[in-house]
Amino acid sequence: MGISAGFMVPHPPLIIPDVGGGEEQKIQKTIDAYHRAAETIGRLQPETIVLLSPHQTMYADYFHISPGQGAKGDFRQFGAGQVSMEISYDTEFVQALCKAAEAAGLQAGTLGERERKLDHGTMVPLYFVNQYWTGYRLVRIGLSGFPLTAHYQLGQCIQAAAQTLGRNAVLIASGDLSHKLKEDGPYGYQEEGPAYDARIMDVMGRGAFGELLEFSEDFCERAGECGHRSFTILAGAFDRTALKAERFSYEGPFGVGYGICMYQPCGTDEARNFLEQYEEKERLRLLALQEQEDPYVRLARYTIEAFVETGKLPEVPEGLPEELCSTRAGAFVSLKEDGRLRGCIGTIQAVRSSLAEEIMYNAVSACSEDPRFAPVEAWEVGRLAISVDVLGETEKISSPEELDAARYGVIVTRGAKRGLLLPKLEGVDTVEQQIAIAKQKAGIKAYESVKLERFEVIRHH
């Protein structure tokens, strides 16, 4: 046995009649599709349901799997406490999954539970499933801040656990689509919202799971989605598996997208090894980028490689361009991995004797001292995309009208608090966004007034 079916489903609490109070009738297509999915699960009679929820305990660097024998939950926070459920966990499956994750080098397990009660991302799908089948035990898994590739790997571990135990298992990937479909919706409108929903429903409707890994973090964030990581775990659980994919429904009348699709395995397909294909494609892309790196970026990469290997800052290498050795300037070194920021540290003004030293010291800081990230490890260095920004002189300005997010970086100051944001950043298109993020970085409240400075940069890739 193994995973006998997978489902992509949403989790709007108002789909429960006691919560919706009639409003649920506006998403009748979703309700009908939910019943169709639940009926299918009833016919399959799985021993185990593996459910992925964005509203389960979530950590930046850990996949949380619910521990214990079981849990309870209700819709009290949505005004319907009388709608409740109690489930039992498949502890043997949890143990097998933890072992598979450990073998794969993934940080995953049952530690750090914050809330024992079932979340609505879990209960909404089970509300429908329980009308057709209750003879299952549950494995409840949260998402993480890891890149999409790690979520796909977790799916592979779920697949391995199900096969090792010989379980008849069903996987449910719980997640709404964009929350930014309409101006009068709860989260407003963003053009990426409808674009995300159209793209994700096309990808999931075709079962083209390799394309899930190509969604940029910035695009997903601006779209306000909540289920993409769930869907990517589902994809990994069907690695190398031939699938029949079927789109059941899509609608978004409340400004939030709801999509339901079903996947049924029908044999082996070695060509659907999407993670391996993506990583090879990324390897070739990064090699091509590295071949085009200019001396500034090559210096940063050389420094990071040497520091990660030895733990020491290397000597300034010989043969550098004259401007690196004879000029002084502030510089920022930015690292990305799998399209996600992996570190960014810099200096507003020169503090070293040369620009070369400025870049080298900041490269070490970016890979080892950025408080937002763990230090870069040796296996990651080749996966890094590196950029170096050399800052021009700063100048004081009197108003935001003198800024341009594509041309100028901004420095905001209030008392001893000071924040900086570079120009030409992906996803930062307006001066208002630029100032807001710089304030946030400095710990300055959004409504507080600040002094403004601007600067230009030369960006090296």
Side-chain angles (χ1 to χ4, degrees), residues 63 97 100-101 104-106 147-159 213 232-233 235-237 275 279 379 383:
F63 290 107
L97 176 56
L106 283 180
L148 293 175
T149 50
H151 288 76
Y152 191 100
Q153 283 182 288
L154 183 63
Q156 291 175 305
C157 295
I158 293 170
Q159 180 190 62
L213 300 170
T232 306
I233 296 173
L275 181 59
E279 290 185 331
W379 63 269
R383 299 165 61 101

Side-chain angles (χ1 to χ4, degrees), residues 175-288:
D176 295 335
L177 308 186
S178 172
H179 287 64
K180 298 184 178 181
L181 300 181
K182 300 173 70 174
E183 289 288 358
D184 59 353
Y187 302 94
Y189 175 81
Q190 191 80 25
E191 63 179 354
E192 288 85 354
Y196 174 85
D197 279 17
R199 184 177 170 189
I200 194 68
M201 289 306 298
D202 173 61
V203 168
M204 298 302 284
R206 292 184 288 116
F209 291 158
E211 296 178 32
L212 287 170
L213 300 170
E214 298 173 0
F215 283 64
S216 73
E217 291 286 338
D218 178 69
F219 175 65
C220 289
E221 183 176 346
R222 290 171 68 83
E225 58 78 30
C226 88
H228 200 89
R229 286 172 170 78
S230 290
F231 310 150
T232 306
I233 296 173
L234 180 148
F238 289 108
D239 187 64
R240 288 180 167 82
T241 303
L243 287 179
K244 177 186 176 183
E246 191 171 357
R247 170 175 165 160
F248 284 1
S249 69
Y250 170 79
E251 54 189 344
F254 304 117
V256 179
Y258 307 134
I260 297 182
C261 295
M262 179 178 72
Y263 308 94
Q264 293 180 299
C266 46
T268 299
D269 186 346
E270 292 295 330
R272 291 178 64 86
N273 58 332
F274 296 122
L275 181 59
E276 289 183 358
Q277 293 178 33
Y278 175 79
E279 290 185 331
E280 177 62 13
K281 184 177 177 181
E282 276 295 286
R283 186 185 69 83
L284 294 174
R285 183 183 71 84
L286 289 170
L287 282 175

Side-chain angles (χ1 to χ4, degrees), residues 103-126:
L106 283 180
Q107 296 296 314
T110 56
L111 301 176
E113 184 176 46
R114 295 198 193 113
E115 176 58 71
R116 189 168 187 80
K117 290 191 297 184
L118 299 175
D119 62 283
H120 73 274
T122 298
M123 290 190 293
V124 169
L126 295 185

Side-chain angles (χ1 to χ4, degrees), residues 341-362:
L341 186 66
R342 186 62 179 83
C344 180
I345 296 288
T347 43
I348 298 173
Q349 297 174 327
V351 297
R352 306 293 173 185
S353 61
S354 69
L355 179 54
E357 290 189 10
E358 203 81 35
I359 292 170
M360 293 176 73
Y361 274 88
N362 291 339

